[in-house]
Amino acid sequence: MSGTLGIVILAHTALDRVAQVARFWARAGCPVVIHLDKAVDRAACRALSTSLADSPDVGFSPRHRCEWGTWGLVAATQDAATQILARHPAVRHVYLTSGACLPLRPARDLIRYLDARPHTDFIESAATSDVPWTVGGLEMERFTLHFPFPWRRRRGLFDRYVALQRALGVTRAIPPGIAPHMGSQWWCLTRRTLSAILEDPRRAELDRYFRKVWIPDESYFQSLARLWSEKIESRSLTLSKFDLQGKPHVFYDDHLHLLRRSDCFVARKVWPHATRLYDEFLSDNGHRAEQSDPNPAKIDRVFARALERGRRGRPGKVSQGRYPRAGREAGPTAARYAVFHGFSEVFADFGPWLARSAGATVHGHLFAADRVQFAGGATMAPGAICDLAGIRDANPTAFLQNLVWNARGTRQCFLFGPRDRQAIAPVLARDPNCELHVVTGAWAITLFRTNDNFGVLRAEAGRLQKIEETTLRAWQAPDAAARVRVWTLAEFLQAPMETMLPILDHLGPREARHLTEAPRLHPLDGFPQFLQNLRNMGMQLHLTGDFALPDVAQPQDRPTQKPVLVNK
Amino acid sequence: MGLWQSYRMRLRRQRLLIRAFRKRRELRPVHLRLGKIGSDDILLFSTLRNEMDRLPHFLRHYRKQGVGHFLIVDNCSGDGSGEYLRAQPDVSLWRAEASYRRARYGMDWLNRLLMVHGHGHWCVTVDPDELLVFPFCDTRPLRALTDWLDSSGLRSFSAMLLDLYPRGDLTAEPESDMTDPLAAACWFDPGNYRMQRNPVYHNLWIQGGPRERAFFAEQPQRAPALNKIPLVRWNRRYAYVSSTHMLLPRGLNQVYDTSGGEKASGILLHTKFLPVFAEKTREEIDRGEHYSNSGEYRAYARALERGPALWSEFSQRYVNWRQLEGLGLMSKGSWA
């Protein structure tokens, strides 16, 4: 019998698989023409033709050297197609496949599908201007420059020749009547369209033109089918996905279920050692003869995710395979977190209170000089991060990244201040995930409450103010990405709770928050006088803000002062 | 500056290769089956000493992944490892009686074997306590990975060392027999690793994990390096510089993405901390053949006297590669 569907296979490796697939088509009555790359050695060719000698409908076409992106592939296709049309007059559709293509459905499904659409050409064919997938960035230029050098083997020569032509302003004339189109090279054309292309009186001229076009196998038939086809369905019947480098994704045994559910007719490219796929799909028990249309969406998702992983990685996770250089990291951390600078100096029990009110994990001073103060006094945090300052200081950025990454799903907060190790400060500034709430000059309250000699206090105040100033400068830099809100101590003390409430709201959903208690302010009787004494000792206090001397802050009675919004 | 650096790296690489060449006489063939190596076999190279406990599982693990031939240097084992390996049909065995330390912890010997027998092959270079895990390793053989690396134009593949430890005390008596080290020690630290780029060799320098927090808390900078590049499509001009942490030429160390993406990577499950660890530690200190005067082993011994358990409430039990991938310790990259 002679079928209406003819198969052309372009093969260059894994010839045992090619034989298996050819036999599959032949069994269903489809004539097959195999083109073997000229690079395949003689013995392998002979072995293949011997093993297929029992299938009279399998033939071999004249061999060309098929290098990626060169004319050889088109020439091979032309010869094979001519041969199959001439020798098998019943053939109505010719399906072009590669040696790594695997039919996913019984051949009769495909035959029936094409019988129902006898005049339709299935060829992905998009106008050049709309094509986003081009490798190397040459879109229109692939039709208007000369490309005599293979891109894979002679990259340098290729690039230099392109540059030279650009410099000289070379533009090839596109033959009249041809609108350049591109698309997948795996098509299924009707005899009518294919023979029109192959027997075109202008073929010599067109071949001459396309011979020097770049990747002609993606544009020759795609452009010419537009001239002759009655009805083009611009899609490929072959399921084929491409990765970042423009090479097809490979299917393995573990894709079996995905491939089954795709309902596509043919998949490319299949790993030659995927024995289970070949066994399953080439066996004759065609138990799935339903008439569903191809639906590659599910498989699309898997590969789209893989592409995304390869291209963008997991922001905030530095790993052995992902080490973004400065500027390419898309934020150093994986999730939003909040830093409270100065608050624990103002309130007596700020940390525990915040933990109760905000429903977040509130650590103490993570960057304290002596030890990492994890929430609840723990000695270890998720991920098995230990509380040793030495290990943290060996790479503070990694410490923060690990902390946030391991706690994905729970909001992290921690306290900070000028007594802590400051190496992390610039990292916080450039992290868009970081919310920085800063009360400046709050360290003065702690000094006020200690019982040291005034000379010691004066020196310490100078030191802390200097550290805080440097850190603030980093946080308030114009290129800082963190959301930073800064109050001076005086501003903050005017209305501490009115300032805190919006911060709490921002931290998390307000689940009928039992804000029954307010954090306890440290008693500040005599604090303005203390500051004045520091000033009298010659210190210029500019981070605390201005306190009226006789009057101690009575926060709740004052009108709310708007916080300074420094950065969004 | 760049040129000068490249030139110095070239000299260094040549020196390593000459060194490896000169050490060739220290390798005495015990039983070679090199004729069995097929032209596209994946090969495994290893140096070992007294690893009878681990060997059966080790060979089983890599055979299952599709390693075609094992090329092993036996550094004076006295526990039957040599006899055992000699009887294996897919092992070629050499014996080296010279100093392990002076052979740069065995790397000179392996560089020599890689140079002669590894050329053109994908080569796995691991210690007997390192078990490779790579993306999809439960459903695809190693060849699927190497084919994919080939088609992606990649010559090397990184696999970070992940220390496994038992739940209990390291000095405790072993409960089960040692047929499966992963059953005896299956806990690991999921997320306390830090890395920085080595400006000279361009590899990532990774530290952290249980060894750092338990044994090197005071000097974290001296904690062992965990970065490894154990799978390379070998060329006779390549050389491992320090263990399998890095190679020359430096392009082989570029196993990470620097533009924000993720490259595919694996894990070497490190079964060092089996219950026999305490005994081994004493032995290695006496031998003094390890890096920086066996300082690492001295640190272990000091800590072991306190009888520490590496286990913590945040340790995770090893399940499979997908778990490690989810934690971000390894990656599928764009391989699907």
Side-chain angles (χ1 to χ4, degrees):
Chain A
M1 81 180 180
S2 195
T4 56
L5 170 63
I7 306 288
V8 171
I9 302 180
L10 304 182
H12 61 107
T13 52
L15 299 187
D16 51 330
R17 295 303 187 191
V18 174
Q20 238 180 315
V21 173
R23 232 177 258 120
F24 168 89
W25 292 116
R27 267 201 310 273
C30 302
V32 178
V33 168
I34 299 175
H35 172 269
L36 287 174
D37 191 315
K38 211 162 194 173
V40 177
D41 67 72
R42 234 171 252 275
C45 293
R46 222 171 1 230
L48 178 66
S49 58
T50 320
S51 86
L52 286 170
D54 56 335
S55 307
D57 275 349
V58 178
F60 292 85
S61 66
R63 295 170 61 187
H64 296 263
R65 175 80 187 94
C66 295
E67 205 170 342
W68 185 85
T70 62
W71 174 254
L73 279 159
V74 180
T77 312
Q78 287 174 329
D79 285 355
T82 309
Q83 180 173 332
I84 206 165
L85 291 177
R87 292 201 191 155
H88 303 279
V91 164
R92 192 195 56 239
H93 270 100
V94 174
Y95 199 137
L96 178 63
T97 66
S98 81
C101 285
L102 175 67
L104 301 183
R105 293 170 65 171
R108 62 170 182 277
D109 273 18
L110 178 56
I111 293 169
R112 206 176 299 142
Y113 186 85
L114 293 172
D115 281 347
R117 298 157 180 83
H119 301 298
T120 309
D121 294 298
F122 295 90
I123 179 163
E124 189 181 42
S125 160
T128 317
S129 51
D130 305 331
V131 173
W133 64 75
T134 50
V135 174
L138 298 154
E139 277 146 26
M140 200 56 202
E141 281 182 321
R142 63 167 72 191
F143 295 102
T144 59
L145 300 182
H146 300 259
F147 296 92
F149 303 111
W151 186 71
R152 289 260 160 99
R153 241 174 350 118
R154 297 247 172 247
R155 187 66 168 278
L157 213 50
F158 181 98
D159 287 344
R160 265 174 291 165
Y161 197 57
V162 167
L164 176 72
Q165 294 177 74
R166 281 179 184 159
L168 294 176
V170 173
T171 312
R172 299 178 74 193
I174 298 171
I178 301 291
H181 278 69
M182 293 193 295
S184 161
Q185 64 265 57
W186 312 113
W187 42 250
C188 178
L189 294 176
T190 58
R191 171 183 285 269
R192 212 179 285 181
T193 305
L194 193 53
S195 57
I197 293 173
L198 294 172
E199 291 157 17
D200 189 341
R202 288 168 68 202
R203 181 172 151 186
E205 176 207 339
L206 294 175
D207 283 6
R208 208 160 41 242
Y209 168 75
F210 275 102
R211 201 179 279 272
K212 295 280 162 55
V213 159
W214 191 39
I215 322 187
D217 51 315
E218 282 185 0
S219 58
Y220 181 82
F221 291 96
Q222 290 71 6
S223 303
L224 299 187
R226 290 277 165 192
L227 296 181
W228 305 105
S229 176
E230 286 173 38
K231 184 160 184 272
I232 282 189
E233 279 257 334
S234 180
R235 66 187 165 90
S236 174
L237 292 178
T238 303
L239 171 70
S240 182
K241 296 279 139 214
F242 293 89
D243 68 7
L244 294 173
Q245 294 167 309
K247 63 181 170 52
H249 276 299
V250 179
F251 297 111
Y252 302 91
D253 282 346
D254 48 16
H255 290 124
L256 177 67
H257 295 289
L258 269 178
L259 288 174
R260 263 221 192 106
R261 284 184 298 163
S262 77
D263 288 324
C264 290
F265 293 110
V266 175
R268 174 181 150 82
K269 143 183 201 179
V270 177
W271 191 46
H273 304 286
T275 308
R276 192 159 159 230
L277 292 187
Y278 277 96
D279 289 353
E280 285 282 323
F281 288 114
L282 296 184
S283 70
D284 279 329
N285 49 356
H287 51 282
R288 298 163 28 80
E290 68 263 35
Q291 297 249 318
S292 49
D293 274 11
N295 173 23
K298 297 154 201 153
I299 221 159
D300 273 354
R301 264 198 301 281
V302 171
F303 288 107
R305 242 182 283 139
L307 278 187
E308 185 68 3
R309 174 63 62 85
R311 196 172 55 231
R312 286 200 54 239
R314 287 170 273 193
K317 180 65 194 168
V318 169
S319 63
Q320 55 174 333
R322 182 177 190 273
Y323 192 79
R325 60 177 178 271
R328 297 304 298 266
E329 57 192 349
T333 56
R336 280 171 55 190
Y337 59 96
V339 182
F340 291 87
H341 177 106
F343 287 70
S344 56
E345 277 84 353
V346 178
F347 296 111
D349 52 354
F350 181 72
W353 172 82
L354 185 65
R356 283 194 301 275
S357 321
T361 305
V362 181
H363 300 285
H365 287 262
L366 283 185
F367 292 91
D370 58 337
R371 199 177 74 86
V372 181
Q373 300 173 5
F374 287 124
T379 55
M380 206 176 247
I385 304 174
C386 66
D387 65 345
L388 295 162
I391 292 182
R392 174 199 66 200
D393 294 339
N395 191 336
T397 312
F399 170 82
L400 178 71
Q401 281 166 333
N402 283 335
L403 184 92
V404 175
W405 171 262
N406 290 311
R408 299 190 304 289
T410 51
R411 179 66 69 87
Q412 304 291 301
C413 304
F414 66 90
L415 310 178
F416 199 67
R419 288 181 187 80
D420 295 338
R421 297 258 190 249
Q422 301 291 305
I424 198 67
V427 181
L428 299 178
R430 64 182 162 84
D431 186 358
N433 279 324
C434 176
E435 279 168 37
L436 274 164
H437 305 288
V438 183
V439 178
T440 64
W443 40 267
I445 297 184
T446 316
L447 293 184
F448 164 64
R449 292 174 52 234
T450 54
N451 189 24
D452 253 325
N453 287 341
F454 207 75
V456 176
L457 291 181
R458 159 75 182 84
E460 180 68 356
R463 189 181 75 87
L464 295 175
Q465 174 161 274
K466 199 161 194 177
I467 292 172
E468 194 170 85
E469 232 184 312
T470 314
T471 298
L472 267 179
R473 209 173 304 133
W475 289 350
Q476 295 183 319
D479 59 344
R483 273 170 303 219
V484 189
R485 306 173 85 189
V486 180
W487 301 266
T488 64
L489 180 59
E491 282 164 357
F492 185 77
L493 285 178
Q494 277 175 9
M497 277 322 283
E498 280 83 341
T499 314
M500 279 312 299
L501 284 177
I503 298 177
L504 286 183
D505 282 345
H506 199 67
L507 269 180
R510 192 164 192 173
E511 2 118 321
R513 181 167 303 127
H514 20 274
L515 198 61
T516 47
E517 39 161 6
R520 198 157 47 76
L521 277 171
H522 284 298
L524 291 175
D525 304 320
F527 182 62
Q529 187 57 53
F530 171 76
L531 295 182
Q532 188 55 47
N533 291 349
L534 281 177
R535 289 201 175 93
N536 294 345
M537 292 280 284
M539 180 160 175
Q540 224 234 314
L541 276 173
H542 49 266
L543 292 177
T544 50
D546 291 324
F547 284 82
L549 242 195
D551 186 20
V552 178
Q554 289 173 352
Q556 309 301 342
D557 306 336
R558 299 284 176 88
T560 315
Q561 171 137 8
K562 282 255 158 44
V564 192
L565 191 63
V566 172
N567 220 329
K568 275 202 187 230
Chain B
M1 192 61 202
L3 268 181
W4 170 236
Q5 269 273 354
S6 303
Y7 181 64
R8 277 185 41 203
M9 288 298 131
R10 192 194 180 90
L11 283 185
R12 204 168 290 180
R13 179 168 57 85
Q14 284 166 351
R15 209 174 309 137
L16 286 170
L17 292 178
I18 291 169
R19 220 188 134 96
F21 179 73
R22 285 181 37 218
K23 296 274 177 185
R24 71 193 184 282
R25 290 211 184 80
E26 295 179 5
L27 292 171
R28 191 168 57 73
V30 177
H31 195 134
L32 305 188
R33 298 176 174 90
L34 297 164
K36 287 190 175 180
I37 298 178
S39 63
D40 59 352
D41 271 355
I42 297 172
L43 309 181
L44 184 142
F45 295 79
S46 187
T47 308
L48 56 82
R49 174 190 170 87
N50 292 345
E51 293 287 0
M52 204 43 225
D53 292 336
R54 289 188 175 90
L55 271 178
H57 183 266
F58 175 81
L59 293 178
R60 211 178 318 132
H61 178 91
Y62 285 102
R63 274 175 191 149
K64 206 172 136 212
Q65 293 189 343
V67 165
H69 200 80
F70 296 80
L71 296 94
I72 294 182
V73 178
D74 173 17
N75 182 210
C76 314
S77 292
D79 68 341
S81 296
E83 291 71 22
Y84 177 78
L85 286 169
R86 203 192 158 120
Q88 303 299 314
D90 51 356
V91 172
S92 288
L93 183 67
W94 286 261
R95 191 170 167 92
E97 294 180 350
S99 163
Y100 177 70
R101 181 160 51 86
R102 290 225 304 274
R104 290 190 317 115
Y105 315 104
M107 277 333 282
D108 285 340
W109 300 329
L110 291 188
N111 271 339
R112 172 65 187 163
L113 292 184
L114 281 160
M115 189 194 306
V116 179
H117 307 292
H119 183 75
H121 290 271
W122 277 98
C123 297
V124 182
T125 308
V126 287
D127 288 340
D129 58 2
E130 296 171 347
L131 302 172
L132 179 66
V133 169
F134 56 90
F136 305 101
C137 60
D138 49 358
T139 50
R140 300 178 196 172
L142 197 50
R143 170 157 315 277
L145 175 67
T146 57
D147 280 358
W148 180 77
L149 292 168
D150 274 335
S151 72
S152 306
L154 299 171
R155 300 173 294 170
S156 52
F157 180 79
S158 104
M160 183 181 114
L161 211 51
L162 186 72
D163 291 330
L164 298 179
Y165 45 84
R167 177 154 188 168
D169 204 311
L170 286 179
T171 51
E173 288 298 308
E175 286 167 22
S176 55
D177 63 54
M178 296 276 298
T179 50
D180 182 4
L182 293 181
C186 58
W187 298 85
F188 66 93
D189 281 12
N192 54 4
Y193 304 91
R194 62 194 148 87
M195 42 210 81
Q196 67 191 77
R197 185 169 179 269
N198 177 335
V200 179
Y201 290 99
H202 298 179
N203 60 300
L204 285 188
W205 180 27
I206 306 179
Q207 291 175 299
R211 274 189 283 171
E212 175 177 87
R213 62 182 167 81
F215 305 128
F216 293 88
E218 310 304 319
Q219 315 157 280
Q221 290 300 346
R222 301 195 57 183
L226 303 176
N227 48 297
K228 291 238 166 182
I229 305 177
L231 179 61
V232 178
R233 180 157 199 126
W234 203 261
N235 183 296
R236 62 172 72 89
R237 293 194 303 272
Y238 296 171
Y240 275 115
V241 177
S242 155
S243 174
T244 52
H245 297 310
M246 54 219 180
L247 298 110
L248 280 174
R250 290 180 290 184
L252 296 167
N253 297 330
Q254 193 72 47
V255 285
Y256 50 94
D257 191 303
T258 56
S259 57
E262 235 169 71
K263 274 198 187 168
S265 53
I267 283 285
L268 285 179
L269 299 174
H270 196 204
T271 58
K272 188 187 194 80
F273 298 100
L274 293 181
V276 287
F277 176 69
E279 188 187 313
K280 242 192 154 123
T281 299
R282 277 189 294 280
E283 187 187 316
E284 294 301 335
I285 290 174
D286 293 343
R287 211 157 68 89
E289 283 277 295
H290 281 277
Y291 185 64
S292 70
N293 199 17
S294 302
E296 190 179 326
Y297 281 93
R298 284 175 202 284
Y300 297 152
R302 275 197 302 278
L304 284 173
E305 277 164 24
R306 304 194 297 267
L310 293 173
W311 191 86
S312 81
E313 59 176 312
F314 295 109
S315 300
Q316 281 202 22
R317 197 190 175 102
Y318 172 70
V319 181
N320 57 21
W321 70 269
R322 282 186 192 276
Q323 169 199 30
L324 304 180
E325 218 271 339
L327 291 165
L329 292 170
M330 59 183 273
S331 177
K332 294 184 282 191
S334 57
W335 199 30

